Structure formats: C-alpha cells, structure tokens
Amino acid sequence: MTAIPSFTGDANPYGGGDPYADYRTADFPFTQYADLADRRLGAGVIAANDEFFAQRENLLVSERAEFDPEHFGHKGKIMDGWETRRRRGASAEHPWPTAEDHDWALVRLGAPGVVRGIVVDTAHFRGNYPQAVSVEGTSVAGSPSPEELLGDDVKWTTLVPRTPVGGHAANGFAVSVEQRFTHLRVNQHPDGGIARLRVYGEVVPDPKWLETLGTFDVVALENGGQVEDASNLFYSPATNTIQPGRSRKMDDGWETRRRRDQGNDWIRYRLAAQSQIRALEIDTAYLKGNSAGWASVSVKDGESGDWTEILPRTRLQPDTNHRFVLPTPAIGTHARVDIYPDGGISRLRLYGSLTEQGASTLAARHQELGG
C-alpha cells in the first residue's frame, strides 16, 4: 500500500488569483467510503472550547472552503472554517503555551460506524493553522450532551495520534481501529484553524433499531448499505443515491458522462445484511434532460451468488419518483442498478426487512465492534 502523503509547514501567503492554485492535496485510499460526518446523515459539531474567529459548525459544511481576502469583521479576518484565538503562556517569563495546551471540538457522527480514514483540511489557513492535530473517538448510546461526553467515565480511543500538519492542505490519515464510534473529539495543538473535517468509514447500524422498524430501506446509507463500485463517477458520487431524503438539486444525485458506445452504466451496492426486498423506488429528481432512459435492478445472495433481475429494464421519466411493488419478495445481500445508456438517477430505495440470517449477522458484527 502506498504511504499517505503528509504535508507540514506554512503555505505561501495568498498572492492573488485562484486561492486554490497552490493548495496541497492527494488521492487518499479511503475516500471511497461514505463521510460519516455528513450533515445529511445528521452529523453536527456539538461543542468547542473556543471559536473566537470562526465558528465550529463550518467544519462540516459540504462544499469546499471559500476565501475572500477582503472579508474582515470586528474580530479580524473572517475565515470559512473553525478558528480559535492565539494561546498565551502563564506569564511574561513564560509567554508560550505549554506542550499540553490545545483546543478541541466535539463531533457527533451522522451515522455510527467504523472509521477508515480522516481528512483534516486546512484550506486557506496558511500561517494560522494548528501545529499538530489529534483525533479521538468514543461510542456512547443515545444523545449525550457535551458535558456527558466530557465526563470522567467516558473512554476515548485514539484514532489519529498527535501529528504535525501543513497549512492550506488536505491532511489525510488512515485509521485502523476496528471499533464502532458515535462521536469524535478533534484536537488542534496548540491553537489555530481547520477549514473542513471529513470522516470516511462504514456505517454500523443498531440492530435493535432496525428490528423495531421492521420494514425499512435496506440499501440506505444510514441503515448500513454502501456502494461497492460504479461504472462512472464523472459528475457526482454514486453514494448520493443512498443518502437520506430526496435530492434537492441536480448534483445531489448520480450522473455519468455521455456515452459514445453501446454500453451502459451501473452501480453495485452491499445491503445492510441479507434482506427480503418487497418494493423499490428509483427517483430521477432534478435530472431532467440528463436522467437515465431506462433502468433495471438485480440482486444476488452472497459474494458468489448469481445475479437475479427483480425489475426488468423499465422506462424512466425525468424528474420523477418511480415506485414498484415486487410480485415476489427477493432475498439478497447485494444489489445492482443498471441504467441505459447513461445519464443519472438521484435515489434508489429497496424496501424490505432483514432475514433471520441477516439479523443474526448484523447483531454479531455490532457486538464485535463494541456496539
């Protein structure tokens, strides 16, 4: 496996023009996973010890950070991120912060799960980024308050040890802790600013919640479904198709480039666990001149199972939610949607319930990961 690039030190002062022209980034191996800190899943920054210059909520904004060199307020330069004041020492003889001094923010993950990688993005923080960062995780049931999370009885596990980072850069960290986490504590040492936080991983739902629901969307991201692969990701990620709610704009779905051959595009999914599927939806909301012309859906049971078509190739209408009740329930662990010839869909929903085997597998994994 190729080592993850690391960035340290200041970026050059902003010299005008495109503020991202000298931005330092890399292709990280874990970004195929879903962002567990996505606001669409219900994530939030629930507390921070300091946010003097820029508010903590900016950390989870889905769009990349913006920079306006002329934008100042009463407290100073307004930054699109989370920025704390400069720390000082205890006296004139010791004006510097101690090695232990740091600022922190508490992040509630939108969907609990196993973290595979974290990106601490310091875009536009060129000389005011933290010297180092560290990230810890914990798993606490329910909806704990910040005070409860900071209590002495809560155990925090290190996901990213204290590590130097660079300014105006996407600082990526692979995580290899096989545990289920609900909250993170992001620390910057000793102070400074972070533009965005991305937490890539696999959703691990609460099996008791799914059992209580009975019938639910077995491919939904929040219920443990995930995209395994897709034929084309030119305009938007395939994971959008299993995000919560309906699409709100065109790039909130999945759209492929225009094909100039006789092939077709597709997405392959892994379901929450083995499920019995009874109905499905294919939504083309906001895809009007670029929606898929036709679609089919297939499922298979197990990695080595054969694909069985449960929805034959069917004409789709633009900007429309299409609903289908299956004549016979289908059992599977994986699903695939094929679109013809290209274009896009905004959402796929597969409604059903876990089989006895699926419920047992999910419960065992939840317990194994400390849920």
Side-chain angles (χ1 to χ4, degrees):
M1 181 176 174
T2 304
I4 294 178
S6 60
F7 306 104
T8 56
D10 294 348
N12 292 326
Y14 176 62
D18 178 8
Y20 274 100
D22 59 341
Y23 176 65
R24 295 175 286 178
T25 187
D27 291 327
F28 300 117
F30 44 74
T31 54
Q32 76 272 22
Y33 295 102
D35 182 5
L36 303 182
D38 194 323
R39 286 285 301 174
R40 290 175 292 180
L41 288 172
V45 186
I46 60 175
N49 72 306
D50 185 280
E51 47 186 330
F52 185 86
F53 287 114
Q55 60 193 21
R56 63 182 191 259
E57 287 85 359
N58 289 335
L59 282 173
L60 304 188
V61 172
S62 59
E63 294 80 16
R64 70 177 188 172
E66 297 181 351
F67 179 73
D68 181 353
E70 306 296 330
H71 198 190
F72 286 84
H74 293 293
K75 294 182 179 180
K77 181 74 184 71
I78 295 176
M79 297 294 290
D80 185 6
W82 168 49
E83 185 181 7
T84 66
R85 73 190 75 201
R86 298 187 188 218
R87 282 183 170 270
R88 297 293 186 242
S91 66
E93 290 72 28
H94 297 280
W96 311 279
T98 69
E100 292 74 33
D101 286 343
H102 67 278
D103 292 318
W104 54 263
L106 294 177
V107 177
R108 180 189 63 243
L109 297 180
V114 179
V115 178
R116 300 299 183 194
I118 294 173
V119 174
V120 177
D121 190 342
T122 58
H124 314 306
F125 288 93
R126 295 170 177 269
N128 51 346
Y129 59 94
Q131 182 182 32
V133 300
S134 61
V135 183
E136 303 159 278
T138 190
S139 183
V140 179
S143 304
S145 67
E147 292 75 21
E148 290 171 321
L149 288 170
L150 296 172
D152 294 337
D153 58 334
V154 174
K155 177 185 176 182
W156 291 89
T157 299
T158 298
L159 304 184
V160 178
R162 182 169 175 169
T163 306
V165 294
H168 196 45
N171 300 277
F173 307 93
V175 178
S176 57
V177 181
E178 289 293 320
Q179 293 182 39
R180 177 182 184 267
F181 295 103
T182 61
H183 296 77
L184 301 186
R185 182 162 61 188
V186 181
N187 306 302
Q188 47 178 339
H189 308 267
D191 53 40
I194 298 170
R196 297 289 188 266
L197 176 74
R198 303 291 184 244
V199 183
Y200 296 99
E202 299 177 66
V203 176
V204 180
D206 182 348
K208 291 183 179 179
W209 175 253
L210 297 184
E211 179 184 0
T212 301
L213 291 179
T215 296
F216 59 93
D217 181 1
V218 299
V219 76
L221 184 59
E222 61 188 326
N223 294 331
Q226 71 177 62
V227 169
E228 289 193 325
D229 200 3
S231 61
N232 188 272
L233 303 172
F234 190 83
Y235 286 114
S236 47
T239 300
N240 282 351
T241 61
I242 54 175
Q243 289 281 3
R246 295 199 70 197
S247 176
R248 295 174 294 174
K249 53 194 176 105
M250 191 174 72
D251 66 349
D252 194 17
W254 171 61
E255 182 188 359
T256 70
R257 70 175 76 206
R258 300 188 188 212
R259 276 190 172 267
R260 302 306 188 198
D261 58 21
Q262 299 300 305
N264 75 284
D265 289 314
W266 51 267
I267 307 175
R268 188 177 73 244
Y269 305 89
R270 189 177 74 193
L271 308 184
Q274 188 189 63
S275 306
Q276 184 182 71
I277 303 165
R278 294 185 288 274
L280 62 91
E281 292 182 2
I282 300 176
D283 196 352
T284 59
Y286 292 97
L287 295 162
K288 299 181 179 181
N290 52 350
S291 68
W294 292 262
S296 64
V297 178
S298 303
V299 300
K300 72 173 182 176
D301 191 22
E303 294 288 348
S304 59
D306 296 325
W307 289 103
T308 301
E309 192 173 69
I310 62 174
L311 179 73
R313 194 178 304 187
T314 301
R315 189 74 166 97
L316 299 182
Q317 299 301 318
D319 196 27
T320 301
N321 191 26
H322 309 76
R323 290 179 171 174
F324 308 93
V325 176
L326 302 184
T328 304
I331 293 179
T333 56
H334 295 72
R336 172 177 168 134
V337 59
D338 285 85
I339 63 171
Y340 302 87
D342 55 23
I345 62 174
S346 60
R347 296 290 187 270
L348 174 72
R349 305 296 187 206
L350 301 178
Y351 296 108
S353 53
L354 298 180
T355 63
E356 184 175 340
Q357 176 184 323
S360 176
T361 300
L362 192 62
R365 184 166 188 253
H366 185 264
Q367 183 176 18
E368 179 186 347
L369 294 171

